[in-house]
Amino acid sequence: MVTSLGAPPPPPGNSKSGACVGEPRTLATVEVTVATLWIVLHSYCSSTSTSPPLSLPQQERQHLLPQTKLLRTSTCPFYSVIITSKAQAKATTIKEALTKWEEKSGQKASEAKEVKLYAQIPPIEKMDASLSTLVNCERLSLSTNCIEKIANLNALKNLRILSLGRNNIKNLNGLEAVGETLEELWISYNLIEKLKGISVMKKLKVLYMSNNLVKDWAEFAKLADLASLEDLVFVANPLEEKHSSEGNWVEEATKRLPKLKKLDGNPVIKQEEEEGEGE
């Protein structure tokens, strides 16, 4: 098994080979599919703003370990690598994940305001109709799974924060169901290249979408349709990487989104503010 943990890993399922490379000789080589390689972020590195915090409590790790084989923990304090066996490749359903969450939390999903279904082992692959039970949910986490499509959010009439980071999502279709209420979308480490449909989120204030595939200004400009957007994290998209290397990313991005208050974790300083300080 292999992974370089000096930098944030690619999203699950983004490997071309589908196999793991060699682990140190003291460990047996284990062949796994990409869908069974899980990078669990258990502490947030304050030196980067590529994605919002995603914590895995110690008791959750203890719960997971009997079902998995912990092959190696990096010397980097922010990541642990957990590999599940091929025998566990069948996906966890939303219904199964909710049942486990209810048992662990002691709450009823239909009454809860916050539901955490992140880092399921085996991973969730589909946002199925069981999500319709979350009628009171205001904050839903489905991060670190293997979801490809956003779906079945129609019943979540109170949803304000949706966390979908570290999945295999390719577009924003499906968000129209929560367009009237959603205030924060955490969707870093996915496969999103086009931003079609983002304008439906009329109340969105916070958008974390680092480490995606957006590469041109025409797509980025669609963010201007988000009248309430104040906080954007866009690092490690091809567009940001290109213009950061040229030294004009912040200038070009804020020119297109003049209402931003924070970009990539840093306060946006308006030109008039700079001129005022210089007087």
Side-chain angles (χ1 to χ4, degrees), residues 89-157:
K90 183 180 178 182
T92 297
T93 66
I94 294 289
K95 183 177 181 179
E96 291 167 343
L98 285 172
T99 298
K100 288 192 292 184
W101 180 84
E102 287 181 329
E103 292 173 352
K104 179 184 169 185
S105 67
Q107 301 181 63
K108 290 184 178 180
S110 60
E111 299 174 358
K113 291 188 176 182
E114 181 173 4
V115 177
K116 300 177 181 179
L117 305 180
Y118 58 76
Q120 295 295 304
I121 297 181
I124 294 169
E125 293 182 358
K126 293 182 179 180
M127 295 174 65
D128 62 44
S130 295
L131 287 171
S132 64
T133 60
L134 305 180
V135 292
N136 290 304
C137 186
E138 296 180 3
R139 178 169 178 164
L140 173 62
S141 176
L142 286 161
S143 298
T144 316
N145 281 292
C146 203
I147 296 166
E148 295 185 359
K149 295 181 180 180
I150 301 170
N152 290 299
L153 295 175
N154 302 69
L156 283 70
K157 302 298 184 183

Side-chain angles (χ1 to χ4, degrees), residues 264-275:
D264 299 333
N266 299 310
V268 173
I269 301 175
K270 309 293 184 184
Q271 185 175 355
E272 53 269 23
E273 293 177 6
E274 292 179 332
E275 293 173 352

Side-chain angles (χ1 to χ4, degrees), residues 2-14:
V2 178
T3 184
S4 171
L5 297 178
N14 199 28

Side-chain angles (χ1 to χ4, degrees), residues 19-247:
C20 293
V21 248
E23 176 63 25
R25 294 178 183 176
T26 54
L27 293 175
T29 301
V30 179
E31 288 187 4
V32 293
T33 63
V34 172
T36 58
L37 171 61
W38 295 105
I39 309 297
V40 178
L41 178 60
H42 62 83
S43 177
Y44 181 59
C45 178
S46 59
S47 64
T48 178
S49 300
T50 57
S51 60
L54 173 63
S55 59
L56 186 64
Q58 181 65 27
Q59 61 267 32
E60 178 72 3
R61 291 192 65 217
Q62 292 171 347
H63 173 72
L64 293 177
L65 286 176
Q67 307 173 40
T68 63
K69 185 175 182 181
L70 182 61
L71 294 184
R72 184 181 184 185
T73 299
S74 168
T75 53
C76 170
F78 307 113
Y79 297 96
S80 288
V81 179
I82 295 178
I83 307 292
T84 63
S85 69
K86 281 186 175 180
Q88 295 174 313
K90 183 180 178 182
T92 297
T93 66
I94 294 289
K95 183 177 181 179
E96 291 167 343
L98 285 172
T99 298
K100 288 192 292 184
W101 180 84
E102 287 181 329
E103 292 173 352
K104 179 184 169 185
S105 67
Q107 301 181 63
K108 290 184 178 180
S110 60
E111 299 174 358
K113 291 188 176 182
E114 181 173 4
V115 177
K116 300 177 181 179
L117 305 180
Y118 58 76
Q120 295 295 304
I121 297 181
I124 294 169
E125 293 182 358
K126 293 182 179 180
M127 295 174 65
D128 62 44
S130 295
L131 287 171
S132 64
T133 60
L134 305 180
V135 292
N136 290 304
C137 186
E138 296 180 3
R139 178 169 178 164
L140 173 62
S141 176
L142 286 161
S143 298
T144 316
N145 281 292
C146 203
I147 296 166
E148 295 185 359
K149 295 181 180 180
I150 301 170
N152 290 299
L153 295 175
N154 302 69
L156 283 70
K157 302 298 184 183
N158 299 301
L159 192 65
R160 296 187 303 105
I161 302 175
L162 177 59
S163 177
L164 288 168
R166 297 178 185 274
N167 278 288
N168 294 326
I169 296 168
K170 297 179 181 179
N171 60 60
L172 300 175
N173 296 340
L175 288 173
E176 60 276 1
V178 291
E180 297 291 335
T181 61
L182 201 66
E183 297 177 6
E184 299 189 18
L185 177 61
W186 301 0
I187 200 163
S188 295
Y189 290 96
N190 275 284
L191 305 171
I192 298 167
E193 182 177 352
K194 305 294 184 181
L195 299 180
K196 181 182 178 181
I198 200 165
S199 61
V200 300
M201 295 184 286
K202 298 176 182 178
K203 295 185 178 180
L204 197 71
K205 297 178 180 178
V206 175
L207 176 60
Y208 295 119
M209 65 168 303
S210 71
N211 295 271
N212 275 281
L213 303 175
V214 181
K215 59 186 178 184
D216 59 61
W217 287 118
E219 292 303 317
F220 185 87
K222 293 175 183 176
L223 298 177
D225 293 334
L226 302 173
S228 300
L229 187 63
E230 299 177 349
D231 185 356
L232 173 66
V233 174
F234 212 76
V235 296
N237 279 271
L239 180 67
E240 180 275 333
E241 292 177 327
K242 177 180 184 295
H243 287 276
S244 285
S245 67
E246 294 174 359

